[in-house]
């Protein structure tokens, strides 16, 4: 029976290669890889997750406090307050704020590194300016003189001013001016406009120290402020400055899933979030001498593939294939065909080091922020970037001869995908529909007309990770299919985007599973029904998009028939993102409940009271079908309120 099932699945794989790939087909192939790992005594996230179950209920509900050494304190019916006297609502809110602050710090530190890299650009340097027009526009936006300036001198001044956003003593963040007037007024009235980025993280830590704030509403407002410092500060600079250095993304074709790994090539996996490293590796991978070296060891060449947001960065600018998302990282090594796993920061399993030792794979860490066991450390920085990249590539190529070719198993699953839909690229596509709106930077009016007329019912920004608590990729893909059938267009980033790409939903032909309205828009604008907008920091693109649409429509952001969704989120960054998304006025739907169930007060603030503050709030729903229904209902409510 098992053999028959596998043969049926294998037949489905061959038919699904360039179209939609079913979840059960992917899971069957992943199971084969896990079996390979077990033969080599390698564990996996699946076994580790099982070993951790059941999870601690005190932690899951947010009622455990360990911010001082009098505890830890756990709230129970017997002990309703901590030793200091803080009740469950204060404890849950403090934990939520600390979770947010860590996520904001992480994304913003990514942006800081990009600022430093921009400051190192030079005409004869490792990093150059690839979008000077965007640099000039940004400088003018910030009131920096551009006339007659050397482009690199200008880049250094913009980078310096960007770095000032992290610690300036007065004022608020520069990018807040990009929001609608109503958003800016809302933030000012609530007192949540972010000041310096690092100040909001530091304030969050101070507020949650023993003997400081314990009022839930005060703590949650600071969580919103810390989130805004990420989305409208560190992340937005990470996105904008990356575009300036590496090029603003535009539509480009690629492929996704484990089938992009090629047995006849040297395979190098880039993984993490910082594009500075991966950009340099991609650039030098095409050097003639390194290609010659690869051929001398028996390979046809060098094949760069990506995992997580580093993958999103290089695929949307260069078409580098995506091997997968967060929970796929071990599977790529289990193929036995990976010469090197090269990582930068964030969402990297420490398990990759021991796992790589079960094969011939080199596990190379490159950042002082992310150092792990069983790894070779090659410190990567802007001054030595080219040399670092070549050393990494050379080591990986020379490792090819150590591969056991007989033990290689690469699932033949891959789907075509069109990626790279920055705001600029989307506007350009919209302008192809009608020439009557074309101006220097385009307009959102064609999109607004599609929504007003009902051709499109609305839009969902779907983002976020995978989480072992739920079936990997299932919620992402099933929700996308449901929303598309209801003529709701999707803009995606992060691991959610890679779920769509692996499943074939970023292929133009995927329009055939959508409703008549989306299908018509796809055909007119020549776009897939699911638009890839980049990595997790690129959710800032989505914030720009909705604010520009609202501004051109003449309404405030909460009125737009647009919602956000993170069905499988798992990281602190995701909570920070959720906070700045609802603060921006976009209702956000989560398939994993944050650690707030222990306080009905905190949960009510996040799911109800926040709407009175910002015009948007969270919805927590673990049932995928109900989550989809709730999003559709909210979009239709917004349409009804607009009278469209």
């Amino acid at each position: 029976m098992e053999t028959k099932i596998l043969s049926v699945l294998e037949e489905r794989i061959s038919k699904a290669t360039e179209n939609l790939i079913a979840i059960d087909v992917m899971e069957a192939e992943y199971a084969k890889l896990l079996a390979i790992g077990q033969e080599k005594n390698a564990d996996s996230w699946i076994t580790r997750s099982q070993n951790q179950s059941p999870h601690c209920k005190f932690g899951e509900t947010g009622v455990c406090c360990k911010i001082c050494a009098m505890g830890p304190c756990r709230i129970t019916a017997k002990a309703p307050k901590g030793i200091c006297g803080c009740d469950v609502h204060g404890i849950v809110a403090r934990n939520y704020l600390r979770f947010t602050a860590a996520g904001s710090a992480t994304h913003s530190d990514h942006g800081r590194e990009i600022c430093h890299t921009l400051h190192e650009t030079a005409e004869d340097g490792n990093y150059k300016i690839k979008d000077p027009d965007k640099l000039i526009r940004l400088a003018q936006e910030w009131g920096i003189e551009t006339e007659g300036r050397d482009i690199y001198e200008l880049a250094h001044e913009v980078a310096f001013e960007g770095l000032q956003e992290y610690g300036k003593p007065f004022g608020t963040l520069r990018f807040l001016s990009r929001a609608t007037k109503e958003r800016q007024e809302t933030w000012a009235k609530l007192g949540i406009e972010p000041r310096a980025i690092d100040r909001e993280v530091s304030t969050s830590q101070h507020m949650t120290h023993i003997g400081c704030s314990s009022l839930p509403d005060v703590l949650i407002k600071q969580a919103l402020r810390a989130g805004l410092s990420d989305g409208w500060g560190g992340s937005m600079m990470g996105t904008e400055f990356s575009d300036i250095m590496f090029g603003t993304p535009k539509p480009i074709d690629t492929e996704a899933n484990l089938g992009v790994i090629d047995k006849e090539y040297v395979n190098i996996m880039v993984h993490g979030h910082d594009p500075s490293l991966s950009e340099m590796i991609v650039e030098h991978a095409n050097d003639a001498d390194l290609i010659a070296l690869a051929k001398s060891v028996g390979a046809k060449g060098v094949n760069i593939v990506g995992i997580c947001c580093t993958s999103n960065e290089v695929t949307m600018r260069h078409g580098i294939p995506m091997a997968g998302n967060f929970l796929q990282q071990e599977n790529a090594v289990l193929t036995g065909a990976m010469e090197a796993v090269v990582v930068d920061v964030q969402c990297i399993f420490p398990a990759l080091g021991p796992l790589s030792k079960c094969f011939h794979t080199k596990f190379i860490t490159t950042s002082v922020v992310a150092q792990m066991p069983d790894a070779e450390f090659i410190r990567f920085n802007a001054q030595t970037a080219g040399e670092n990249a070549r050393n990494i590539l050379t080591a990986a190529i020379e490792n090819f001869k150590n591969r056991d070719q007989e033990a290689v198993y690469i699932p033949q699953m891959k789907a075509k995908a069109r990626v790279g839909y920055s705001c600029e690229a989307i506007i350009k596509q919209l302008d192809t529909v009608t020439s009557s709106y074309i101006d220097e930077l385009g307009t959102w009016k064609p999109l607004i007309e599609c929504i007003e007329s009902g051709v499109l019912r609305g839009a969902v920004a779907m983002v976020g990770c995978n989480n072992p608590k739920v079936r990997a990729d299932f919620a992402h893909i099933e929700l996308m299919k449901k929303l598309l059938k209801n003529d709701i267009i999707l803009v995606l980033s992060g691991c959610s985007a890679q779920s769509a790409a692996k499943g074939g939903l970023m292929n133009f032909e995927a329009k055939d599973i959508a409703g008549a309205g989306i299908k018509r828009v796809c055909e007119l604008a020549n776009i897939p029904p699911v638009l890839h907008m980049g990595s997790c920091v690129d959710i800032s693109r989505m914030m720009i998009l909705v604010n520009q649409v609202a501004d051109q429509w003449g309404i405030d952001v909460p009125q737009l028939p647009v919602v956000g969704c993170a069905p499988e989120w798992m990281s602190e960054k995701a909570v920070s993102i959720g906070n700045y998304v609802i603060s921006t006025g976009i209702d956000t739907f989560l398939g994993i409940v944050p650690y707030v169930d222990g306080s009905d007060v905190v949960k009510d603030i996040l799911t109800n009271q926040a709407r009175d503050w910002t015009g948007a709030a969270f919805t927590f729903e673990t049932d995928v079908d109900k989550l989809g229904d709730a999003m559709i209902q909210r979009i239709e409510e917004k349409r009804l309120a607009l009278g469209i």
Side-chain angles (χ1 to χ4, degrees):
M1 176 64 72
E2 189 176 56
T3 305
K4 184 178 180 181
I5 291 172
L6 287 175
S7 67
V8 170
L9 289 173
E10 285 168 358
E11 182 180 352
R12 289 181 66 183
I13 290 170
S14 65
K15 291 179 179 178
T17 305
E18 293 184 355
N19 297 298
L20 300 184
I21 301 178
I23 286 282
D24 58 354
V25 173
M26 289 192 266
E27 289 175 337
E29 288 297 285
Y30 302 158
K32 293 179 185 178
L33 290 172
L34 291 175
I36 291 171
Q38 288 172 350
E39 290 174 5
K40 293 181 175 288
N41 296 317
D43 66 3
S44 70
W45 63 264
I46 293 176
T47 56
R48 295 191 299 272
S49 180
Q50 290 169 345
N51 292 341
Q52 285 291 334
S53 298
H55 295 291
C56 170
K57 290 301 178 184
F58 293 105
E60 275 198 325
T61 55
V63 301
C64 176
C65 181
K66 51 183 177 60
I67 65 172
C68 79
M70 293 192 295
C73 296
R74 299 176 300 176
I75 300 302
T76 64
K78 174 186 171 184
K81 292 185 178 181
I83 292 169
C84 71
C86 189
D87 65 14
V88 67
H89 310 302
I91 287 173
V92 171
R94 286 192 309 208
N95 289 337
Y96 184 85
L97 175 53
R98 284 207 163 193
F99 209 84
T100 300
S104 179
T106 304
H107 260 167
S108 294
D109 212 31
H110 172 159
R112 190 195 325 261
E113 287 303 312
I114 297 297
C115 287
H116 279 292
T117 304
L118 180 62
H119 201 268
E120 295 294 329
T121 54
E123 192 169 357
D124 58 351
N126 289 301
Y127 296 101
K128 299 176 175 61
I129 302 302
K130 293 188 178 177
D131 192 340
D133 292 339
K134 189 162 194 173
L135 171 63
I136 291 168
R137 289 198 304 272
L138 178 55
Q140 291 171 342
E141 179 184 344
W142 282 4
I144 297 171
E145 180 59 48
T146 62
E147 192 68 31
R149 300 281 300 277
D150 174 78
I151 201 68
Y152 288 98
E153 178 191 342
L154 182 61
H156 299 162
E157 183 172 352
V158 167
F160 179 82
E161 291 300 324
L163 288 166
Q164 295 302 303
E165 294 293 277
Y166 286 85
K168 64 186 182 183
F170 304 109
T172 57
L173 297 184
R174 289 175 178 268
F175 279 144
L176 300 187
S177 63
R178 291 182 165 187
T180 63
K181 180 183 177 183
E182 291 83 359
R183 283 297 89 198
Q184 294 179 56
E185 290 174 348
T186 295
W187 296 334
K189 182 180 178 181
L190 282 172
I192 62 170
E193 328 104 293
R195 300 155 295 183
I197 297 164
D198 289 346
R199 183 174 182 182
E200 301 310 344
V201 173
S202 180
T203 297
S204 300
Q205 293 296 94
H206 187 181
M207 286 179 72
T208 53
H209 188 275
I210 173 70
C212 289
S213 294
S214 54
L215 290 173
D217 59 331
V218 172
L219 291 160
I220 298 304
K221 282 183 180 178
Q222 178 58 27
L224 299 181
R225 196 175 205 177
L228 283 167
S229 74
D230 167 5
W232 291 84
S235 281
M236 197 166 285
M237 281 195 289
T239 294
E240 296 290 79
F241 291 2
S242 291
D243 284 356
I244 288 167
M245 285 188 289
F246 310 133
T248 301
K250 55 187 177 182
I252 188 170
D253 291 324
T254 189
E255 294 178 318
N257 222 327
L258 291 173
V260 303
I261 300 169
D262 196 319
K263 186 176 181 178
E264 296 184 312
Y265 282 73
V266 173
N267 292 298
I268 300 170
M269 182 174 99
V270 291
H271 174 22
H273 288 74
D274 187 339
S276 301
L277 162 69
S278 50
E279 279 285 330
M280 199 56 56
I281 288 177
V282 168
E283 179 180 327
H284 285 274
N286 294 316
D287 287 359
D289 54 343
L290 289 174
I291 299 297
L293 179 61
K295 291 180 178 178
S296 74
V297 297
K300 286 187 174 180
V302 177
N303 182 39
I304 309 294
V305 301
I307 292 282
C308 268
C309 281
T310 286
S311 177
N312 282 315
E313 295 279 4
V314 292
T315 194
M316 65 182 174
R317 294 189 175 94
H318 306 286
I320 297 299
M322 297 180 279
N325 46 7
F326 178 62
L327 289 183
Q328 192 97 307
Q329 56 188 282
E330 291 174 315
N331 289 340
V333 178
L334 288 168
T335 63
M338 199 59 59
E339 273 60 63
V341 173
V342 186
V343 302
D344 45 80
V345 294
Q346 302 170 25
C347 300
I348 301 150
F349 281 169
L352 287 177
L355 176 62
S356 295
K357 291 182 73 175
C358 296
F359 297 85
H360 74 298
T361 307
K362 286 181 174 291
F363 179 51
I364 301 172
T365 59
T366 61
S367 171
V368 294
V369 171
Q371 299 183 65
M372 300 179 187
D374 295 313
E376 180 181 348
F377 180 59
I378 299 177
R379 184 169 182 174
F380 201 88
N381 61 61
Q383 292 82 15
T384 61
E387 178 186 351
N388 294 151
R390 292 183 65 84
N391 288 341
I392 289 169
L393 287 160
T394 300
I397 291 168
E398 291 175 344
N399 195 30
F400 180 82
K401 58 182 178 289
N402 296 320
R403 185 199 292 180
D404 180 0
Q405 293 284 25
E406 297 301 315
V408 169
Y409 179 73
I410 302 172
Q412 292 306 297
M413 300 182 299
K414 61 181 177 180
K416 292 180 179 178
R418 180 162 291 179
V419 300
Y421 287 94
S422 58
C423 292
E424 294 89 339
I426 294 174
I427 282 180
K428 190 171 182 180
Q429 286 304 116
L430 291 174
D431 282 343
T432 65
V433 178
T434 173
S435 61
S436 61
Y437 297 130
I438 293 179
D439 57 28
E440 184 184 356
L441 293 176
T443 178
W444 297 105
K445 288 183 181 178
L447 175 60
I448 293 168
E449 289 186 355
C450 284
I451 295 173
E452 278 187 311
S453 67
V455 173
L456 296 177
R457 304 305 294 175
V460 169
M462 196 174 294
V463 304
C465 335
N466 304 126
N467 191 316
K469 290 182 177 179
V470 296
R471 190 177 175 188
D473 292 329
F474 179 79
H476 289 291
I477 290 175
E478 291 308 306
L479 284 170
M480 290 175 208
K481 290 178 180 177
K482 182 168 190 166
L483 295 166
L484 290 176
K485 287 175 183 175
N486 283 272
D487 284 322
I488 295 169
I489 198 163
L490 291 148
V491 291
L492 272 58
S493 71
C495 287
S496 183
Q498 290 162 327
S499 294
K502 289 192 300 177
L505 293 172
M506 285 183 169
N507 192 347
F508 180 71
E509 282 69 29
K511 65 182 172 55
D512 294 330
I513 71 163
I518 285 188
K519 187 174 181 179
R520 181 180 168 198
V521 169
C522 290
E523 290 169 347
L524 285 171
N526 190 30
I527 57 173
V530 178
L531 300 181
H532 179 286
M533 290 199 79
S535 65
C536 348
V537 298
D538 294 329
I539 297 170
S540 58
R541 297 191 200 276
M542 299 175 183
M543 299 304 99
I544 293 170
L545 188 158
V546 295
N547 275 267
Q548 289 181 349
V549 169
D551 193 49
Q552 290 189 19
W553 199 335
I555 59 178
D556 195 10
V557 173
Q559 296 175 270
L560 291 172
V562 173
V563 301
C565 180
E568 301 179 26
W569 73 272
M570 63 85 203
S571 78
E572 293 162 321
K573 294 180 297 179
V575 171
S576 177
I577 291 165
N579 286 334
Y580 74 67
V581 173
I582 66 166
S583 298
T584 303
I586 304 168
D587 283 303
T588 299
F589 294 74
L590 304 181
I592 304 290
V593 181
Y595 300 147
V596 298
D597 263 346
S599 168
D600 56 351
V601 171
V602 172
K603 195 169 182 179
D604 183 68
I605 291 172
L606 294 172
T607 59
N608 290 304
Q609 190 174 341
R611 184 169 286 111
D612 296 330
W613 295 346
T614 69
F618 288 109
T619 295
F620 307 146
E621 177 54 69
T622 57
D623 183 287
V624 173
D625 205 42
K626 290 180 181 177
L627 188 65
D629 288 341
M631 285 190 282
I632 293 167
Q633 180 181 342
R634 189 74 183 116
I635 285 171
E636 292 301 328
E637 288 171 354
K638 288 171 178 281
R639 292 187 62 85
L640 184 62
L642 284 170
I644 58 173

